[in-house]
Amino acid sequence: MFDQSSGLANPISPPGASSEWISELLLGMRLAGLEYRRIQMAPPFGVRFDTLSSCAQFHFVAQGPVFLSTAGTDDLRLDSGDAVLLPRGGGHQLLSSQDVASRDIDAIEAIPVCDAFSCVTECPQDSCRSQDVRIFSGRMKFDLGGMHPLISLMPRVMHVGTLLSRYPEVLPMLEAMERESRLERVGAAAILSRLADVVAACIVRAWVECGCGDVGGWVEALRDPRLGGVIAAVHREPGRDWSVASMAVEMGSSRSVFAERFRDALGVSPLHYVTQLRMRLARQWITEKSMSIDQVAWRLGYGSQAAFSRAFKRATGQTPGSLRHME
């Protein structure tokens, strides 16, 4: 059984074809590493991370213990081999003990090792000891693709320790991370960052496979074979000329029955959901894939750039062109 405080529950077996919709949408999951740090410090110490809510933060404890402190929750003890994912980032601290003060990790000198990877080392007399704590941390751009609505529903902290009894394949990856965290072999930094991405993805997949906690709504809609099929079809073809009538046909019901079930399950109208999906994809394609506004408009089914720009401004309050100046 998984730890309920981490939002994980006993595995579910979605009925019928609903598992197909979840698997199909999960194919769009992407984790892109933005910054990685290997941290080695002698107790007592405390480091603070102020990760943007648009990013995920991953921590692996190669040698502990260390305490994870987040506002509004009990401190979580992490022992050697433990890992956590904070899917929505946010402010948090890693402490050698619960009574120490913390410093901003960005204010501590870091030595670059390679692209996006650095080492933070603070040991007495420049001589690191066996009892020093070793942590590997990664800040990641987290994109669930078609499963994007799940990010806001995830628990703040997802603990890998809750996965090991049912997903033993994660353990060899954690053991490999412990070995690579010593940085004694050529290419260790690159391998360590790739392993972190895979373990973080496994944490997310396990949470989805195990029912996503008690979140209801969107996930329950996916578990409904007929309604889930409509959602998957919309994500598969966001540029199709969707209407309530065409979505009702996809589900095999009347317009009124479909619209009522959709709103009851997701809390928004079918057409509003389609618009939200399109605008989220547009933002991603423009800012991350450098697509032209014409290309985006065509892929999302708008007859012209002007029509798309009007729809985007109406839905988001800004023009598509303004995204060019954003990271």
Side-chain angles (χ1 to χ4, degrees), residues 110-153:
I111 300 174
V113 175
C114 58
D115 186 36
F117 192 109
S118 61
C119 285
V120 175
T121 304
E122 289 195 345
C123 304
Q125 290 84 45
D126 297 323
S127 177
C128 293
R129 303 167 300 176
S130 60
Q131 64 264 40
D132 292 340
V133 172
R134 282 189 287 119
I135 304 162
F136 174 75
S137 294
R139 181 170 60 88
M140 306 168 177
K141 185 69 175 178
F142 188 27
D143 178 17
L144 275 179
M147 301 289 274
H148 186 84
L150 278 185
I151 295 178
S152 64
L153 303 176

Side-chain angles (χ1 to χ4, degrees), residues 53-92:
S53 60
S54 59
C55 298
Q57 185 77 46
F58 174 82
H59 298 296
F60 169 69
V61 180
Q63 183 166 295
V66 68
F67 292 88
L68 172 68
S69 177
T70 57
T73 62
D74 293 335
D75 290 352
L76 176 64
R77 178 182 169 119
L78 302 173
D79 290 303
S80 300
D82 272 343
V84 292
L85 177 69
L86 288 79
R88 295 186 301 281
H92 58 284

Side-chain angles (χ1 to χ4, degrees), residues 148-161:
H148 186 84
L150 278 185
I151 295 178
S152 64
L153 303 176
M154 289 177 174
R156 184 170 185 184
V157 177
M158 305 172 79
H159 185 197
V160 76

Side-chain angles (χ1 to χ4, degrees), residues 4-307:
Q4 295 295 324
S5 66
S6 295
L8 299 171
N10 286 324
I12 60 166
S13 296
S18 60
S19 60
E20 296 177 12
W21 315 141
I22 295 176
S23 296
E24 180 178 329
L25 295 178
L26 199 58
L27 287 174
M29 181 172 66
R30 297 289 184 272
L31 276 166
L34 302 176
E35 181 182 34
Y36 299 99
R37 290 187 179 96
R38 178 188 183 271
I39 302 168
Q40 182 161 349
M41 290 187 165
F45 72 86
V47 288
R48 185 177 68 255
F49 296 79
D50 294 311
T51 309
L52 294 175
S53 60
S54 59
C55 298
Q57 185 77 46
F58 174 82
H59 298 296
F60 169 69
V61 180
Q63 183 166 295
V66 68
F67 292 88
L68 172 68
S69 177
T70 57
T73 62
D74 293 335
D75 290 352
L76 176 64
R77 178 182 169 119
L78 302 173
D79 290 303
S80 300
D82 272 343
V84 292
L85 177 69
L86 288 79
R88 295 186 301 281
H92 58 284
Q93 303 172 86
L94 294 179
L95 311 170
S96 60
S97 61
Q98 294 167 288
D99 57 352
V100 299
S102 64
R103 294 178 292 161
D104 186 344
I105 187 65
D106 291 326
I108 303 175
E109 182 182 5
I111 300 174
V113 175
C114 58
D115 186 36
F117 192 109
S118 61
C119 285
V120 175
T121 304
E122 289 195 345
C123 304
Q125 290 84 45
D126 297 323
S127 177
C128 293
R129 303 167 300 176
S130 60
Q131 64 264 40
D132 292 340
V133 172
R134 282 189 287 119
I135 304 162
F136 174 75
S137 294
R139 181 170 60 88
M140 306 168 177
K141 185 69 175 178
F142 188 27
D143 178 17
L144 275 179
M147 301 289 274
H148 186 84
L150 278 185
I151 295 178
S152 64
L153 303 176
M154 289 177 174
R156 184 170 185 184
V157 177
M158 305 172 79
H159 185 197
V160 76
T162 62
L163 306 180
L164 292 179
S165 62
R166 198 167 298 274
Y167 295 90
E169 65 271 17
V170 176
L171 183 58
M173 288 186 280
L174 295 177
E175 292 172 340
M177 288 185 70
E178 193 282 324
R179 292 191 297 271
E180 298 296 338
S181 69
R182 301 168 193 166
L183 300 184
E184 295 173 347
R185 302 178 64 184
V186 174
I191 292 173
L192 191 54
S193 61
R194 298 299 179 271
L195 286 169
D197 293 348
V198 173
V199 172
C202 286
I203 295 173
V204 175
R205 183 181 67 179
W207 184 73
V208 172
E209 288 180 342
C210 293
C212 307
D214 184 22
V215 298
W218 194 79
V219 175
E220 289 302 320
L222 285 179
R223 293 176 185 166
D224 180 328
R226 297 171 69 198
L227 192 55
V230 176
I231 295 172
V234 170
H235 281 263
R236 195 185 307 122
E237 300 180 83
R240 183 170 158 185
D241 186 17
W242 290 107
S243 65
V244 174
S246 63
M247 285 186 273
V249 169
E250 194 81 28
M251 179 170 156
S253 71
S254 68
R255 290 179 56 185
S256 59
V257 168
F258 163 72
E260 182 178 359
R261 287 184 63 182
F262 194 99
R263 183 179 285 277
D264 287 347
L266 284 87
V268 296
S269 71
L271 294 183
H272 184 67
Y273 184 87
V274 172
T275 299
Q276 286 181 321
L277 172 64
R278 287 173 174 171
M279 297 306 107
R280 189 169 65 246
L281 290 173
R283 180 180 294 274
Q284 176 185 337
W285 293 344
I286 292 171
T287 60
E288 298 178 16
K289 298 186 177 181
S290 300
M291 268 190 203
S292 70
I293 295 175
D294 272 341
Q295 284 179 299
V296 173
W298 178 79
R299 287 188 63 175
L300 293 178
Y302 291 92
S304 66
Q305 177 179 326

